[in-house]
Amino acid sequence: MTRRESASVEIFPKQNMASKYAEVINKLRTTFKHGITKSLEYRKQQLKALYRLCKDNEEVLVRAMKEDLNKPKFESVVCEIEFIRNDIRGMLINLEKWASPEYTSKHVVLMFDSTFIHREPFGLVLIIGAWNYPLQLTLSPLVGAIAAGNVAVIKPSELSPATARVLEDLLPLYLDQNSYALINGGVPETTELLKEQYDYIFYTGCPSVGKIIRNAANKHLTPITLELGGKSPLYLDKRVNIEIACRRILWGKFINAGQTCVAPDYILCSEETQEEFIHMASKILSEFFGENPQNSSDLARIVNKKHFQRICNLITNSTVVVGGDFVEEECYISPTILKDVKISDPVMEEEIFGPVLPIVPVKDVDEAISIINSKERPLSLYLFSTKDEVIKKFLNSTSSGSFCVNDTVVHLSVDTLPFGGIGNSGMGRYHGKYSFDTFSHLKAVLKRNFNPVLEQLGSLRYPPYTDQKMNKLMMLLKKRRNPFPYGTPYVIVFVLGIITAVVIRFILIASGGIKYLPYPFH
């Protein structure tokens, strides 16, 4: 058994698995019931501790990801470790603002009352990470869960065992073990974990397992986020700068050896553009990885032999024009480009999730859109074009989790944009404030006072009912465009206060009790 095929060591014997998991979960629930994690100061402390984990152990984490995926240090630091640190920085900067009440507009009857959204944690969260970005896809959801005030069970992927073991060792040293528990293991452990009841489940992985996770969540009506994947298409217009486009496409495709959920899965373009792209790609790949990519320290490997063989089988009988070299012993597949691919070819039937890029020739934009719409809605859709009408057409005629124009993958770095799929590519979203909101229940709050004037208006709802009452109430509640800017009720109250003070002043002077009374603003 190779290091890539080995699973993490089980932390509990199988016969005691269920009882031990129940014990861990009860401990976490007790912590949450005591309200410890609801404190903003506590959340900040735990986020800072997670930040220190990533900072203090950078080299350890880089070595672990190197062992799991032969991931280059650059990719491990930029795409995983620094991604998490930046995520935490954003949470710490904005936490108090995001946790504050969010006041909303209201109708006339409630003019002087308060309506707002109060964000509160769900409670116990289960986070199931993925192997392709074993740090980012495990800890980034945890950042959101901590910031929102939840307790959490964290389950890293067993297919990235070195990173899972490091997290198992490090997390208890930095985070409060009464609030956060990491459990390693494979399918049996995950199956047992899913038998427990949670308040929220966050899963990153493939659609087939996502359906299993959702079925388990349905048993307890547990809300869930599924970050899945699929075949993310890319349309390449002939009028773009082909060299710049080629660099951006090849980087997004071959980072992490193509094992990225938003990597461009296939290219749609004209036959003429196909030839230009292949010619340029051959030169650029030599710049990226040298004449022999197998010797490059900048190219990751396929996670294990099972996935290696799956990818090899997908490209059987395809026309390879760049790359096509395979070394099973080290799960190496060179950056490979296929030309003249047909929609019916095996490589177009499932997500590739590897360093293979098929090119499907199309006649025009309409054919490209037709092909895209004939498949499941992708996690990301890429368009390289300088024509506004083409961009607008793709935006309005296709459906995808995200839409990126003239680049690939980098839209994930913008935490003010939501990241998530649609349909078969997932449900729910996270990153930045979207992570905070995902792990928060948005509680609607109405706080009324006993204002007699508004109570008189509101009394129209009370029996005995009459048509006159009904018509007046409907007039008051009728939705209409607000002619006044936000905060008008408070300005009115302020002005009425000044008028009242002036009236009282003149009454006191007129009564002879006081000869002179200064204005409030003197």
Side-chain angles (χ1 to χ4, degrees):
M1 183 176 287
T2 67
R3 62 176 173 80
R4 297 183 191 280
E5 293 170 320
S6 63
S8 302
V9 176
E10 295 175 7
I11 61 172
F12 303 130
K14 285 189 176 180
Q15 60 269 26
N16 297 324
M17 200 185 296
S19 61
K20 288 290 186 180
Y21 290 172
E23 182 180 325
V24 170
I25 286 169
N26 286 336
K27 180 176 72 171
L28 300 182
R29 284 201 179 278
T30 298
T31 299
F32 184 75
K33 287 178 181 177
H34 288 162
I36 295 170
T37 61
K38 292 184 178 182
S39 161
L40 287 184
E41 190 56 41
Y42 177 87
R43 302 184 206 181
K44 291 177 184 178
Q45 289 173 357
Q46 296 302 302
L47 288 172
K48 290 175 182 177
L50 191 59
Y51 185 93
R52 290 195 303 273
L53 184 156
C54 294
K55 182 180 180 181
D56 298 347
N57 302 281
E58 182 175 300
E59 289 304 317
V60 175
L61 293 165
V62 167
R63 285 197 300 272
M65 288 182 277
K66 181 77 172 178
E67 181 178 343
D68 286 330
L69 293 151
N70 194 46
K71 187 170 288 199
K73 179 178 179 179
F74 183 95
E75 293 181 12
S76 293
V77 173
V78 174
C79 302
E80 304 232 31
I81 298 172
E82 182 60 16
F83 187 99
I84 298 300
R85 291 194 293 227
N86 219 29
D87 210 1
I88 295 171
R89 292 185 192 109
M91 285 294 179
L92 290 172
I93 290 170
N94 294 290
L95 184 56
E96 292 196 16
K97 178 175 70 175
W98 291 345
S100 299
E102 180 184 337
Y103 289 91
T104 68
S105 59
K106 46 197 178 289
H107 51 69
V108 175
V109 178
L110 302 178
M111 184 185 301
F112 295 108
D113 299 313
S114 297
T115 58
F116 58 92
I117 298 169
H118 172 74
R119 288 170 171 80
E120 63 183 17
F122 278 104
L124 175 63
V125 169
L126 172 63
I127 297 170
I128 303 176
W131 55 263
N132 56 324
Y133 288 84
L135 192 71
Q136 182 207 131
L137 298 180
T138 303
L139 296 189
S140 185
L142 179 61
V143 170
I146 293 173
N150 299 278
V151 296
V153 174
I154 305 105
K155 168 60 180 66
S157 173
E158 69 277 10
L159 297 182
S160 51
T163 307
R165 286 195 300 269
V166 167
L167 288 177
E168 183 181 348
D169 292 339
L170 292 179
L171 273 180
L173 301 180
Y174 288 84
L175 297 185
D176 185 350
Q177 295 182 62
N178 291 316
S179 299
Y180 314 102
L182 186 141
I183 294 175
N184 267 333
V187 173
E189 288 76 13
T190 305
T191 301
E192 287 298 324
L193 280 173
L194 288 171
K195 292 178 181 178
E196 301 292 337
Q197 183 173 357
Y198 303 92
D199 301 304
Y200 203 95
I201 297 176
F202 192 106
Y203 168 75
T204 305
C206 63
S208 58
V209 178
K211 293 175 183 178
I212 296 172
I213 303 294
R214 187 177 185 183
N215 286 336
N218 286 342
K219 180 181 177 183
H220 300 291
L221 297 179
T222 303
I224 186 170
T225 290
L226 298 176
E227 293 298 339
L228 308 176
K231 297 181 75 66
S232 294
L234 185 151
Y235 179 73
L236 179 59
D237 200 324
K238 64 182 179 181
R239 294 180 178 85
V240 301
N241 184 313
I242 195 68
E243 181 177 354
I244 294 176
C246 193
R247 290 182 184 278
R248 294 176 179 178
I249 292 168
L250 296 179
W251 173 80
K253 177 60 183 181
F254 297 119
I255 189 172
N256 201 34
Q259 298 166 120
T260 303
C261 58
V262 292
D265 192 90
Y266 60 97
I267 293 177
L268 299 163
C269 64
S270 67
E271 290 185 357
E272 177 187 353
T273 304
Q274 174 182 239
E275 297 307 318
E276 290 181 31
F277 180 85
I278 291 170
H279 176 72
M280 184 63 67
S282 181
K283 294 195 298 185
I284 290 175
L285 285 174
S286 294
E287 293 177 21
F288 282 3
F289 306 113
E291 293 303 319
N292 186 357
Q294 186 180 355
N295 297 330
S296 173
S297 60
D298 299 326
L299 188 63
R301 296 295 187 265
I302 304 305
V303 67
N304 57 35
K305 290 185 178 179
K306 177 184 176 182
H307 284 283
F308 172 86
Q309 195 58 54
R310 178 188 62 81
I311 296 168
C312 291
N313 292 339
L314 286 178
I315 61 177
T316 302
N317 301 323
S318 296
T319 304
V320 177
V321 289
V322 176
D325 300 319
F326 314 94
V327 180
E328 184 175 1
E329 290 71 23
E330 58 176 270
C331 293
Y332 166 76
I333 299 178
S334 65
T336 299
I337 298 177
L338 313 176
K339 71 174 291 186
D340 295 329
V341 174
K342 298 180 178 62
I343 296 300
S344 58
D345 288 350
V347 75
M348 293 299 293
E349 292 178 356
E350 63 179 74
E351 183 178 10
I352 298 169
F353 222 65
V356 176
L357 182 59
I359 304 177
V360 180
V362 293
K363 292 179 296 184
D364 51 29
V365 169
D366 290 331
E367 185 181 2
I369 290 175
S370 177
I371 290 172
I372 292 169
N373 289 339
S374 71
K375 296 183 175 295
E376 296 281 5
R377 289 177 286 182
L379 186 54
S380 285
L381 190 156
Y382 299 105
L383 169 64
F384 280 74
S385 178
T386 57
K387 299 178 67 175
D388 287 341
E389 60 267 30
V390 173
I391 296 172
K392 185 177 180 180
K393 190 167 189 176
F394 266 87
L395 187 60
N396 293 327
S397 302
T398 63
S399 178
S400 56
S402 56
F403 181 56
C404 184
V405 181
N406 295 330
D407 211 332
T408 62
V409 179
V410 293
H411 56 296
L412 270 68
S413 66
V414 185
D415 68 358
T416 52
L417 291 175
F419 175 67
I422 180 172
N424 198 64
S425 59
M427 61 178 69
R429 59 203 55 80
Y430 72 126
H431 287 180
K433 187 175 185 294
Y434 300 98
S435 292
F436 184 82
D437 283 348
T438 284
F439 289 103
S440 299
H441 167 59
L442 276 59
K443 181 190 289 184
V445 180
L446 165 63
K447 182 182 176 184
R448 299 214 64 187
N449 59 41
F450 291 93
N451 184 294
V453 175
L454 295 182
E455 173 59 19
Q456 184 63 34
L457 291 177
S459 66
L460 294 170
R461 62 184 161 154
Y462 300 143
Y465 299 136
T466 65
D467 288 347
Q468 185 180 22
K469 280 186 176 182
M470 181 178 68
N471 292 331
K472 286 182 179 179
L473 188 60
M474 286 193 301
M475 182 187 68
L476 291 172
L477 297 179
K478 183 179 180 179
K479 203 71 178 178
R480 52 178 63 86
R481 195 180 298 276
N482 187 1
F484 304 108
Y486 179 77
T488 298
Y490 303 102
V491 174
I492 294 173
V493 170
F494 177 74
V495 172
L496 288 175
I498 293 178
I499 293 173
T500 302
V502 171
V503 170
I504 292 174
R505 172 183 180 275
F506 280 110
I507 290 175
L508 290 173
I509 292 174
S511 67
I514 296 178
K515 293 184 178 180
Y516 173 75
L517 188 67
Y519 286 100
F521 40 79
H522 281 181

